[in-house]
């Protein structure tokens, strides 16, 4: 039975139109990434259209296809690359931005500067401390007082010097006692002396030396120096000595220098003083008693 074809049938049977069944178009909406900045209603966007239901992500076959394609892409990505000992492909390491060496170098430089500043500060403070201690120790000079001189032997006669020239000769042996006081309250002193000379008319007729010793702080000490002269040629002064000896009053001059050194702070801070002493006295060659010296008889410079 034949039926008349309608316009719609003719249109659907048009050779230019495909004979495959009509394909449904699916649209999937997803929220935009910028949903926090814009309105949700205006951020909706259309995804590409799929020709068949099987192309849709909701179709069961889509997962297998996508996984297969992703695995093939993944394997294709690492194909031809070297593998490590465990069989994993080697990948380039992502380097973090920023240079940390400069940061550590700055810290090291700052630490060195701090140590140097601390060291310089310590040296400065210690130097100021030593300077103060040195200034405080300067007034402490040893007090010296010559007490007496004792003549043990006195011989005057004729003789000749080393060249054979005849002259008056003097042999003498005596001792000098003196008192040394250290007034320092916080350090001891080392005491020594230059040669102790007993002079007659600018000729040293007897010589001795004070032995170096250590004297504690705030202490007194009596020291003895032995003076000896053996066959000392007097030359032109012999005549004057003969006259003086006849009067039993021989004028002599005792001259020496006392040195003191105090270690205030070990060997870092030292204090030094020198005192020149000269004493005038009259000696009786026939008397062995000590000749006491008055305070006015000696000069202490």
């Amino acid at each position: 039975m034949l039926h008349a074809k309608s316009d719609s049938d003719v249109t659907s049977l048009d050779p230019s139109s495909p004979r495959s069944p009509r394909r449904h178009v699916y649209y999937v909406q997803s929220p935009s990434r910028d949903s926090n900045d814009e309105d949700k209603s205006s951020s909706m966007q259309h995804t590409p259209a799929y020709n068949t239901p099987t192309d849709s992500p909701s179709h069961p076959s889509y997962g297998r296809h996508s996984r297969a394609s992703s695995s093939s892409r993944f394997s294709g990505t690492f194909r031809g690359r070297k593998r490590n000992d465990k069989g994993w492909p080697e990948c380039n390491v992502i380097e973090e931005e920023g240079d940390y060496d400069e940061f550590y170098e700055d810290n090291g430089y700052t630490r060195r500067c701090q140590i140097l500043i601390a060291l310089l500060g310590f040296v400065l403070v210690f130097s100021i401390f030593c300077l103060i201690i040195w200034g405080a120790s300067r007034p402490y000079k040893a007090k010296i007082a010559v007490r007496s001189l004792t003549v043990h032997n006195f011989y005057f006669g004729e003789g000749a010097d080393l060249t054979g020239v005849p002259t008056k000769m003097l042999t003498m042996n005596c001792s000098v006692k003196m008192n040394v006081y250290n007034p320092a309250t916080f350090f001891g002193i080392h005491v020594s002396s230059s040669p102790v000379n007993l002079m007659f008319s600018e000729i040293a007729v007897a010589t001795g030396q004070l032995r170096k010793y250590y004297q504690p702080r705030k202490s007194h000490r009596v020291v003895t120096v032995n003076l000896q002269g053996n066959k000392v040629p007097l030359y032109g002064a012999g005549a004057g000595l003969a006259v003086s000896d006849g009067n039993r009053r021989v004028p002599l001059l005792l001259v020496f220098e006392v040195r003191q050194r105090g270690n205030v702070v070990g060997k870092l801070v030292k204090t030094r003083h020198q005192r020149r002493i000269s004493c005038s006295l009259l000696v009786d060659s026939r008397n062995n008693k000590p000749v006491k010296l008055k305070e006015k008889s000696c000069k202490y410079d």
Side-chain angles (χ1 to χ4, degrees), residues 5-67:
K5 298 180 180 177
S6 61
D7 295 337
S8 60
D9 296 336
V10 174
T11 304
S12 61
L13 295 175
D14 189 8
S16 61
S17 62
R19 296 183 180 274
S20 61
R22 182 177 295 176
R23 298 180 180 177
H24 298 279
V25 179
Y26 296 87
Y27 297 92
V28 179
Q29 294 181 349
S30 60
S32 175
R33 295 181 181 176
D34 301 331
S35 59
N36 294 331
D37 300 334
E38 300 179 0
D39 190 6
K40 292 182 179 180
S41 60
S42 61
S43 63
M44 305 300 293
Q45 60 181 359
H46 294 286
T47 58
Y50 298 94
N51 294 329
T52 62
T54 58
D55 295 337
S56 174
S58 61
H59 197 274
S61 63
Y62 178 79
R64 293 191 299 271
H65 177 71
S66 62
R67 285 193 295 271

Side-chain angles (χ1 to χ4, degrees), residues 17-229:
S17 62
R19 296 183 180 274
S20 61
R22 182 177 295 176
R23 298 180 180 177
H24 298 279
V25 179
Y26 296 87
Y27 297 92
V28 179
Q29 294 181 349
S30 60
S32 175
R33 295 181 181 176
D34 301 331
S35 59
N36 294 331
D37 300 334
E38 300 179 0
D39 190 6
K40 292 182 179 180
S41 60
S42 61
S43 63
M44 305 300 293
Q45 60 181 359
H46 294 286
T47 58
Y50 298 94
N51 294 329
T52 62
T54 58
D55 295 337
S56 174
S58 61
H59 197 274
S61 63
Y62 178 79
R64 293 191 299 271
H65 177 71
S66 62
R67 285 193 295 271
S69 61
S70 63
S71 62
S72 62
R73 288 194 301 271
F74 180 80
S75 62
T77 303
F78 294 100
R79 186 175 300 167
R81 294 192 178 183
K82 296 181 179 180
R83 295 178 178 271
N84 56 17
D85 298 337
K86 296 182 178 181
W88 291 94
E90 295 182 356
C91 301
N92 293 331
V93 179
I94 300 175
E95 296 182 358
E96 296 183 1
E97 297 181 358
D99 187 6
Y100 294 96
D101 294 338
E102 184 178 356
F103 175 76
Y104 290 114
E105 289 178 359
D106 292 342
N107 286 344
Y109 179 76
T110 304
R111 180 61 60 84
R112 288 193 296 269
C113 288
Q114 291 176 351
I115 295 174
L116 181 60
I117 292 173
L119 182 61
L120 292 177
F122 173 78
V123 172
L124 179 61
V125 172
F126 185 74
S127 300
I128 294 174
F129 171 76
C130 292
L131 183 62
I132 294 173
I133 295 297
W134 177 81
S137 64
R138 289 293 297 170
Y140 295 106
K141 295 181 179 181
K143 296 181 179 180
I144 303 169
V146 180
R147 296 302 182 187
S148 63
L149 182 142
T150 303
V151 177
H152 304 288
N153 184 16
F154 190 94
Y155 175 76
F156 175 72
E158 297 290 338
D161 61 4
L162 297 177
T163 60
V165 177
T167 183
K168 300 289 183 179
M169 309 289 290
L170 177 63
T171 299
M172 187 175 182
N173 185 9
C174 60
S175 60
V176 178
K177 282 187 179 182
M178 65 183 86
N179 185 22
V180 181
Y181 171 65
N182 177 22
T185 58
F186 56 93
F187 64 92
I189 59 175
H190 298 268
V191 182
S192 61
S193 75
S194 65
V196 181
N197 295 323
L198 188 62
M199 313 288 294
F200 174 79
S201 185
E202 298 183 357
I203 299 174
V205 294
T207 304
Q209 183 101 25
L210 174 65
R211 291 185 179 181
K212 184 178 179 179
Y213 70 94
Y214 174 79
Q215 185 164 341
R217 59 188 179 89
K218 302 290 289 185
S219 62
H220 292 266
R221 183 167 181 173
V222 177
V223 295
T224 301
V225 181
N226 292 321
L227 307 179
Q228 291 181 351

